[in-house]
Amino acid sequence: MSTEKKSGALAAIIAMIFLFAMISFVTNMAAPFGNIWKEHYEWAGMVGNLMNFAAYLFMGIPAGMLITKYGYKKTALIALALGFIGIGVQYISSTQDVNATSTYAIYLLGAFICGFCVCILNTVVNPMLNLLGGGGNKGNQLIQIGGSLNSLAATLTPILAGAMIGTITKQTSMVAVRPLLMIALAIFAISFIIIIFTQMAEPKVEKTDVMSGIKAALGFRHLVLGIIAIFFYVGIEVGIPYEMMFYLSDTNGVLGNVAIAGTVAGIYWFLMLIGRLSSSFISGKISTRTQLVTVSFVAIIFTIIAIFLPETKTIALPGSEEAPLDLVIFKFTGGTIPLNCLFIVLCGLCTSIMWGGIFNLATEGLGKYTPSASGLFMTMVVGGGIMPFIQERLGKSIGYIPSYWIIVAMLAFILYFALIGSKVTKRAEE
């Protein structure tokens, strides 16, 4: 490969990794914002998140079509423009009367538009990193590196939002998070400019009939099972920290503090960062399948332990007399949380590599049908809205912690996919 081509590939990789962070930054605003809205509408906690992910259902396949027609760079620019608009609409909701239903409708519209943004970005980032890495373990390695920056953004977002909101009351509104929305607007504008001036040596995308490509892709059994696994995985990744955040921030519950709840959730995302960094170093030596089997099994064990541990078993937070030292990144005000939250948080080490692992295994051998498969994957990311919404409803009826049985069931399917369902039975013709 010539020096010019190498520099073009490197620039493309850096740009895609940066966009990976944007995906998480936008997505992880939903839960802290949901804490605000559920104080005004009891049912509203996960609706913003549901709207954010519902966009995937409508945009997953069209996003793949945009790549085919305009290429990866122009498609990324379209996504960033939509993100700027979506955040702008949410900002408008912070200027309206929080008790007016029209204000909540404006916020939901903004969340929905942001969903289009992150869906398109996901469609761009994952296949391009996989292709730039040459597929296989190397492709998975690049996805895990991108996922590490994604996790860093996910770590900081709930911490920043939680710190701005603090202790929530009936008077709390979106005004509390205006600074975060302004930061988001600035980041989208800067990102748009950066991508415009980035020289990207794009991989070639074969222009095929969309529906025929989708039909052909669905003929691969391991892809179909992988699509189901992605639907469940995103529900797991989002549901684990969000339900815990509601559990700890519930004013009638064990803690009732959004700032601490957001920080504890931030540790989950931070552990995802650690897991992805670790995977990026070992993915060249340890197969994707082995990694996915291991983390799925361990996550099941952690979740079951969390379910059966009594709430009376607690652990001291840094900042309390029992644990006086603050962590470098996470600043606590002290106190205790149930010990089961520790095992819920530890699941972040396991979920960290699932996205890249499932995508890598499910698209193995698809060749020219990879863009169509990516569109199908993005459609099924709607699971990140549907499954946490179902879990939250379960939490309201049977309790926050017992609702994690739905997480165990979804993890069991991913374990099945890693062990059996991901085996390639046929490959696309070159």
Side-chain angles (χ1 to χ4, degrees):
M1 183 183 290
S2 66
T3 303
E4 185 177 348
K5 286 185 177 180
K6 284 183 178 179
S7 61
L10 180 60
I13 289 171
I14 293 173
M16 291 303 104
I17 289 174
F18 181 76
L19 292 181
F20 228 136
M22 296 295 298
I23 294 168
S24 185
F25 181 67
V26 174
T27 302
N28 284 281
M29 290 180 180
F33 292 179
N35 271 316
I36 294 174
W37 289 110
K38 72 183 178 69
E39 287 301 309
H40 301 276
Y41 307 98
E42 186 274 334
W43 45 267
M46 289 299 289
V47 178
N49 178 72
L50 179 61
M51 292 297 291
N52 193 284
F53 280 94
Y56 283 84
L57 186 62
F58 298 96
M59 199 64 203
I61 292 173
M65 295 167 62
L66 286 174
I67 293 175
T68 301
K69 185 173 183 179
Y70 298 111
Y72 286 88
K73 179 175 178 177
K74 288 182 179 178
T75 303
L77 291 172
I78 292 170
L80 292 171
L82 284 170
F84 187 88
I85 294 169
I87 294 295
V89 173
Q90 291 184 63
Y91 184 87
I92 291 172
S93 74
S94 75
T95 66
Q96 308 297 310
D97 179 8
V98 71
N99 293 309
T101 54
S102 60
T103 302
Y104 189 52
I106 292 171
Y107 164 72
L108 291 179
L109 175 62
F112 190 62
I113 296 172
C114 282
F116 282 105
C117 162
V118 292
C119 174
I120 297 171
L121 286 180
N122 258 316
T123 310
V124 169
V125 167
N126 286 279
M128 191 162 185
L129 282 177
N130 199 40
L131 290 168
L132 288 170
N137 289 343
K138 183 65 176 179
N140 183 45
Q141 188 174 30
L142 283 182
I143 292 175
Q144 299 302 346
I145 292 172
S148 298
L149 194 57
N150 178 280
S151 293
L152 179 60
T155 300
L156 297 176
T157 303
I159 294 174
L160 288 172
M164 291 175 186
I165 297 169
T167 300
I168 202 162
T169 68
K170 291 291 184 182
Q171 285 69 50
T172 306
S173 71
M174 290 289 286
V175 173
V177 293
R178 271 187 193 170
L180 186 61
L181 293 171
M182 293 178 70
I183 291 171
L185 286 170
I187 291 175
F188 270 112
I190 293 169
S191 300
F192 189 90
I193 295 170
I194 289 173
I195 297 300
I196 283 179
F197 291 102
T198 299
Q199 297 298 317
M200 297 171 63
E202 300 193 17
K204 293 181 180 179
V205 177
E206 184 174 335
K207 290 179 168 49
T208 58
D209 177 70
V210 175
M211 296 313 297
S212 63
I214 291 173
K215 183 178 179 181
L218 289 173
F220 294 82
R221 176 179 175 274
H222 69 288
L223 172 66
V224 174
L225 294 174
I227 289 171
I228 298 172
I230 280 292
F231 179 87
F232 285 149
Y233 162 69
V234 188
I236 292 166
E237 182 192 274
V238 175
I240 285 176
Y242 282 13
E243 191 69 9
M244 181 180 63
M245 190 182 299
F246 291 147
Y247 172 54
L248 293 176
S249 63
D250 190 335
T251 52
N252 298 315
V254 295
L255 192 61
N257 188 294
V258 179
I260 295 178
T263 304
V264 175
I267 295 179
Y268 166 86
W269 297 108
F270 182 69
L271 290 179
M272 284 190 70
L273 167 62
I274 300 299
R276 282 171 170 166
L277 283 173
S278 301
S279 178
S280 69
F281 287 111
I282 67 175
S283 288
K285 299 178 181 178
I286 300 177
S287 73
T288 303
R289 177 172 284 106
T290 299
Q291 291 183 56
L292 190 57
V293 168
T294 302
V295 297
S296 300
F297 179 76
V298 173
I300 290 171
I301 299 301
F302 282 160
T303 308
I304 291 175
I305 291 173
I307 291 171
F308 282 104
L309 273 173
E311 289 185 7
T312 52
K313 297 289 185 181
T314 60
I315 183 172
L317 294 173
S320 62
E321 291 182 2
E322 295 88 348
L325 297 178
D326 282 339
L327 300 178
V328 175
I329 297 177
F330 308 104
K331 300 296 183 182
F332 293 100
T333 58
T336 61
I337 59 173
L339 183 59
N340 51 25
C341 289
L342 172 63
F343 289 93
I344 292 172
V345 163
L346 286 173
C347 287
L349 289 170
C350 303
T351 57
S352 62
I353 69 167
M354 288 183 182
W355 173 274
I358 294 169
F359 185 89
N360 184 259
L361 291 173
T363 57
E364 182 69 25
L366 294 186
K368 62 183 180 181
Y369 301 120
T370 299
S372 296
S374 182
L376 290 168
F377 263 77
M378 290 307 104
T379 300
M380 289 298 100
V381 172
V382 70
I386 294 174
M387 300 312 296
F389 182 78
I390 293 173
Q391 185 181 0
E392 192 215 7
R393 292 294 89 194
L394 281 175
K396 291 290 185 182
S397 60
I398 66 174
Y400 291 107
I401 298 302
S403 74
Y404 278 86
W405 279 115
I406 196 172
I407 298 291
V408 173
M410 291 188 288
L411 285 168
F413 182 86
I414 292 176
L415 178 60
Y416 159 76
F417 172 74
L419 286 170
I420 301 170
S422 60
K423 292 181 180 178
V424 179
T425 56
K426 70 173 184 177
R427 294 178 177 271
E429 296 179 3
E430 297 296 333

